[in-house]
Amino acid sequence: MTSDILRNYEQQFGVLCADITNKISISANSSDRKSSITTIEGLFQDALEIIEQMELEVRDANSSKKRTQEQKEKYLNIINSYKAELSQLEKEFDRQVRNKNSSMSSNTNFEIQLNENNPEDSELFDLKRKNTESLNKMNRNLENGYRMVLESEETGNNILSDLFGQREQMTRARDRLREVNNNLGKSSRVVGTMTRKALQNKLILFGMIVFLILTIVFVIYLVIKKKMS
């Protein structure tokens, strides 16, 4: 989690430096330099706040426990390089915008006043190129991340479709089980009714047999009694 926070700060700082470099280049040729100075100073302030947040994160006691001393020194070196980079940008900002008194021709084709071959401007061009490369790299990372999100979304949709199909199958199986259970209940009631009827028939038959036996015995008794009389 801490590494993710620091990487996020690094990306934000790279974007800010690229924006500052671009605005310095534009402001060097702009007639409305006052508003540009205010905007660029705000970007410098944002960049400084990011560096301060990175320092706080690296030096935080709880976060420091989660990283080795080598990792801590690595991030401190990165922070120092960011400070140096920001200081160099501020010098170029002073030279190209703040302290610039002469206006430039509106037909110039250069991004800034001086040529890239000028030794004094080579550092700014190198810095801008490096920031542009960092920005392009971050854009590629964002595109890859976005593609991974789309792939994950597609995978999630496929899983949801499979789960929905399994849910329908389970619903149909549950309905069939209910139907079988109802049929078993009906069958149990039918069997119970048949059993009771069979028992009743047996009782009736047994009663008829007993009645018949008693009748025969009574007739025999009458016959014997008559003969004896």
Side-chain angles (χ1 to χ4, degrees):
M1 179 63 71
T2 303
S3 299
D4 292 339
I5 293 174
L6 290 173
R7 279 196 292 270
N8 186 39
Y9 284 145
E10 290 180 46
Q11 291 178 355
Q12 293 180 28
F13 184 82
V15 171
L16 281 172
C17 286
D19 197 13
I20 290 171
T21 304
N22 184 54
K23 281 183 168 53
I24 289 175
S25 301
I26 295 174
S27 299
N29 300 324
S30 175
S31 58
D32 186 14
R33 197 170 291 110
K34 184 176 180 180
S35 62
S36 298
I37 289 174
T38 303
T39 302
I40 295 172
E41 286 176 344
L43 293 175
F44 272 114
Q45 186 62 36
D46 292 341
L48 284 173
E49 289 179 0
I50 288 177
I51 291 176
E52 291 175 358
Q53 291 295 328
M54 290 181 70
E55 285 184 315
L56 290 174
E57 183 66 29
V58 172
R59 299 181 190 279
D60 180 68
N62 294 328
S63 299
S64 298
K65 295 178 182 178
K66 300 177 182 179
R67 68 172 67 90
T68 63
Q69 183 63 29
E70 182 180 354
Q71 290 175 327
K72 184 177 179 180
E73 291 178 355
K74 172 188 172 183
Y75 283 117
L76 289 175
N77 290 332
I78 291 174
I79 290 171
N80 291 331
S81 68
Y82 284 171
K83 289 180 179 179
E85 184 176 346
L86 199 62
S87 177
Q88 182 62 32
L89 274 175
E90 192 163 7
K91 290 178 182 178
E92 293 297 336
F93 174 52
D94 290 336
R95 185 170 63 86
Q96 294 292 336
V97 182
R98 278 179 178 157
N99 301 330
K100 184 176 178 182
N101 296 320
S102 60
S103 61
M104 294 184 60
S105 171
S106 60
N107 295 325
T108 182
N109 292 323
F110 295 98
E111 291 183 334
I112 59 176
Q113 182 183 4
L114 298 179
N115 194 291
E116 184 178 1
N117 296 323
N118 190 329
E120 295 181 357
D121 296 323
S122 61
E123 292 184 1
L124 178 60
F125 278 99
D126 292 339
L127 191 58
K128 180 180 179 180
R129 183 164 46 250
K130 183 173 71 172
N131 289 335
T132 302
E133 290 175 355
S134 299
L135 187 60
N136 290 335
K137 182 179 179 181
M138 283 186 285
N139 287 334
R140 288 194 296 270
N141 290 336
L142 289 174
E143 290 175 356
N144 292 334
Y146 181 68
R147 185 170 60 254
M148 292 177 64
V149 168
L150 292 179
E151 292 175 355
S152 299
E153 183 180 4
E154 183 179 357
T155 302
N157 290 332
N158 292 334
I159 292 174
L160 287 176
S161 298
D162 293 339
L163 290 175
F164 183 74
Q166 293 176 6
R167 180 176 177 273
E168 289 184 340
Q169 292 177 359
M170 293 177 66
T171 301
R172 288 195 294 267
R174 183 182 61 186
D175 293 339
R176 285 196 294 269
L177 286 174
R178 286 179 177 175
E179 185 178 352
V180 170
N181 187 44
N182 293 333
N183 291 334
L184 287 174
K186 293 178 180 178
S187 300
S188 298
R189 288 192 295 272
V190 170
V191 171
T193 302
M194 293 176 64
T195 302
R196 286 193 298 272
K197 288 184 177 181
L199 181 60
Q200 290 174 357
N201 292 334
K202 287 182 179 179
L203 291 174
I204 292 171
L205 180 61
F206 180 76
M208 291 177 66
I209 292 173
V210 171
F211 177 76
L212 183 60
I213 291 172
L214 291 175
T215 302
I216 293 172
V217 171
F218 181 71
V219 171
I220 293 172
Y221 170 76
L222 291 177
V223 170
I224 293 174
K225 184 178 181 182
K226 186 177 181 181
K227 289 181 176 180
M228 291 178 64
S229 312

